[in-house]
Amino acid sequence: MSFDTLFQAQLDQLKDEGNYRIFAELQRKCGDFPRVQNHGHGQDEVTVWCSNDYLGMGQHPKVVQAMIDTVRTCGTGAGGTRNISGNAYHHKRLEEELADLHGKEAALLFTSGYVSNWAALSTLGSRLPNAVILSDALNHASMIEGIRHARCEKRIWKHNDVEDLDRQLRTLPANATKIVAFESVYSMDGDIAPIREIVEVAEKHGAMTYIDEVHAVGMYGPRGGGVAEREGLMDRITLIEGTLGKAYGVVGGYITGSHALVDFIRSFASGFIFTTALPPAVAAAARVSIKHLKESELERALQRRQVKRLRARLNAEGIPHVDNPSHIIPVMVKDPVKCRMLSDILMDQFGIYVQPINYPTVPKGTERLRFTPGPLHSDDDIEYLVEALKTLWKQCAIAHAVA
Ligand code: PLP
């Protein structure tokens, strides 16, 4: 028997449901963001509207130069795990930069944000005595995998519902080590957690707090420290996790916290210990990006302007989108097949790239297009996008009711 029939059966099911993922073939062009070369179907050059390189820092001249210079001095790879190859100068400087960003004693780098969540949560949950992880219902897959791997007791609290969290914490025994895990900006709906209330409830019950600021670092707070920085709460959160791959435009993940916490994860997390460290050039580029966004408000200000502008134009044209306080604009389609079709037409006929967001990334029936306007989208880009959506909305007869 061919094993391929087993694989194919499940792939066919995905296709039948309209949830089979097809990736675009796109090549970023340094210095031309948000324009990219399209090697797939559709026009040769397209405008990207769904990048997580939220501020275009992946092509910032200083960041690019730092990576080139460091490749020239250090070569490409790190040469092994930190255990084998040691702490490169660039890893250490970046960790200092990150600890400073979040006002913490220490930081630890990982190869991605996914790995940092997975490694940190699984280590905390499996190693701490009588650990119970209380996880927001909409936490990211990387947090869910980390919690699953911890094999400790877990409780899911209703999304952003502080009363439910309080209720659940109350039922736990006094000897439990309670870990409240949540995100600041939820990337699919673009809503923001009530961080202060969560921290207060956690403190009341003696629970530690674990926040994922992946979609907020670089973007919020006077130095880009995230929503917790903006709200003056960083010192009340036990562990702040983030990525170098979104607003900072590079790749990698990290955690920050006390010396003891970071040393604990460094010493026990298999996802840190047994994998090759980030290339020094990546660390150097990320550090330059972080330093830049600590001092420059320009990118954030321009980005907020374009987010506001796109929202206003969508409202004016009656295109249904989720109203939220963040930089993420989900336009609801609520059907996987239509969602893919709209994405394809935008690409083929209008040179606009926005990928369809379908199950399992979002629940069935809430399929959407997710727009992330940035400082490098012009007013004309916005106008062109809105005109294209208007045309399609008419053609597809999708309800104009606000989602
Ligand atoms: N946490 C959240 C909330 C995310 O949305 C993502 C990725 O999109 C990650 C973690 C993983 O980060 P990275 O892309 O750096 O692996």
Side-chain angles (χ1 to χ4, degrees):
M1 175 193 161
S2 161
F3 291 116
D4 284 352
T5 54
L6 298 176
F7 305 139
Q8 203 53 54
Q10 297 203 25
L11 290 170
D12 289 344
Q13 192 185 337
L14 271 186
K15 286 179 187 168
D16 289 346
E17 290 166 349
N19 291 323
Y20 181 68
R21 287 170 196 250
I22 300 162
F23 301 147
E25 286 182 43
L26 302 173
Q27 177 128 317
R28 283 155 64 93
K29 294 192 285 179
C30 192
D32 213 8
F33 193 70
R35 249 52 79 186
V36 297
Q37 194 73 37
N38 177 22
H39 295 292
H41 60 89
Q43 304 180 4
D44 289 348
E45 187 187 84
V46 299
T47 302
V48 175
W49 273 102
C50 53
S51 179
N52 283 343
D53 186 356
Y54 293 128
L55 301 175
M57 293 303 288
Q59 299 181 15
H60 191 289
K62 288 201 296 195
V63 179
V64 172
Q65 197 57 50
M67 194 177 280
I68 293 169
D69 291 347
T70 314
V71 167
R72 294 242 173 266
T73 54
C74 299
T76 53
T81 63
R82 299 268 287 264
N83 201 28
I84 290 170
S85 294
N87 290 325
Y89 168 87
H90 294 287
H91 296 141
K92 291 306 287 177
R93 295 298 80 74
L94 174 55
E95 285 172 347
E96 286 164 12
E97 197 70 52
L98 287 165
D100 171 76
L101 175 68
H102 294 294
K104 297 289 184 197
E105 289 172 359
L108 188 69
L109 282 172
F110 294 83
T111 46
S112 72
Y114 186 103
V115 173
S116 60
N117 270 334
W118 178 81
L121 281 165
S122 63
T123 305
L124 291 170
S126 61
R127 288 251 157 206
L128 294 176
N130 308 314
V132 182
I133 301 181
L134 297 104
S135 177
D136 183 284
L138 292 191
N139 275 343
H140 186 255
S142 54
M143 300 172 82
I144 295 169
E145 282 303 320
I147 294 165
R148 191 177 289 162
H149 197 78
R151 296 208 194 96
C152 64
E153 191 180 336
K154 71 163 187 227
R155 300 280 176 92
I156 314 288
W157 46 288
K158 286 186 204 145
H159 177 55
N160 279 350
D161 186 334
V162 183
E163 276 174 24
D164 190 39
L165 174 64
D166 189 24
R167 223 176 356 257
Q168 301 220 28
L169 277 164
R170 225 179 298 139
T171 64
L172 295 176
N175 70 348
T177 309
K178 302 154 206 141
I179 305 158
V180 175
F182 61 108
E183 300 179 24
S184 57
V185 177
Y186 286 84
S187 72
M188 290 302 135
D189 292 328
D191 55 334
I192 295 183
I195 304 178
R196 181 176 301 280
E197 288 84 344
I198 293 171
V199 166
E200 276 164 8
V201 166
E203 283 171 351
K204 187 172 88 179
H205 293 282
M208 65 172 75
T209 37
Y210 182 115
I211 192 169
D212 172 317
E213 289 255 36
V214 157
H215 292 276
V217 288
M219 306 284 291
Y220 298 84
R223 297 201 312 157
V227 183
E229 186 201 13
R230 184 183 74 184
E231 297 183 7
L233 292 167
M234 293 196 297
D235 60 332
R236 291 172 68 182
I237 296 173
T238 318
L239 185 154
I240 300 177
E241 183 270 348
T243 185
L244 306 170
K246 301 195 194 293
Y248 293 124
V250 192
V251 71
Y254 64 88
I255 58 156
T256 63
S258 68
H259 280 306
L261 165 61
V262 169
D263 202 22
F264 173 80
I265 303 290
R266 186 188 71 86
S267 304
F268 291 114
S270 104
F272 171 78
I273 300 171
F274 297 109
T275 189
T276 300
L278 284 177
V282 165
R287 179 166 168 242
V288 167
S289 185
I290 294 163
K291 272 170 86 81
H292 178 84
L293 290 176
K294 275 181 182 172
E295 286 152 21
S296 170
E297 188 57 28
L298 178 70
E299 293 79 5
R300 284 189 283 271
L302 273 174
Q303 196 255 0
R304 280 196 295 269
R305 177 187 185 277
Q306 297 313 64
V307 170
K308 205 168 148 199
R309 196 177 177 91
L310 178 57
R311 278 187 200 286
R313 290 294 297 116
L314 292 174
N315 283 340
E317 301 300 344
I319 300 188
H321 61 100
V322 178
D323 192 20
N324 65 47
S326 78
H327 58 284
I328 291 159
I329 307 183
V331 168
M332 304 308 284
V333 181
K334 302 182 179 174
D335 179 287
V337 178
K338 276 187 189 152
C339 200
R340 152 108 352 246
M341 189 186 70
L342 283 170
S343 165
D344 284 346
I345 299 173
L346 283 168
M347 183 78 139
D348 294 343
Q349 295 179 19
F350 297 93
I352 288 169
Y353 174 61
V354 58
Q355 102 278 20
I357 304 209
N358 286 353
Y359 178 82
T361 310
V362 293
K364 288 180 181 171
T366 70
E367 293 78 8
R368 64 199 70 183
L369 301 172
R370 171 184 177 270
F371 294 92
T372 55
L376 298 172
H377 288 106
S378 66
D379 292 356
D380 285 349
D381 288 335
I382 291 178
E383 217 40 53
Y384 181 73
L385 169 67
V386 172
E387 281 305 315
L389 290 174
K390 239 170 84 180
T391 311
L392 290 183
W393 247 243
K394 274 194 206 128
Q395 282 173 8
C396 297
I398 293 174
H400 275 212
V402 173

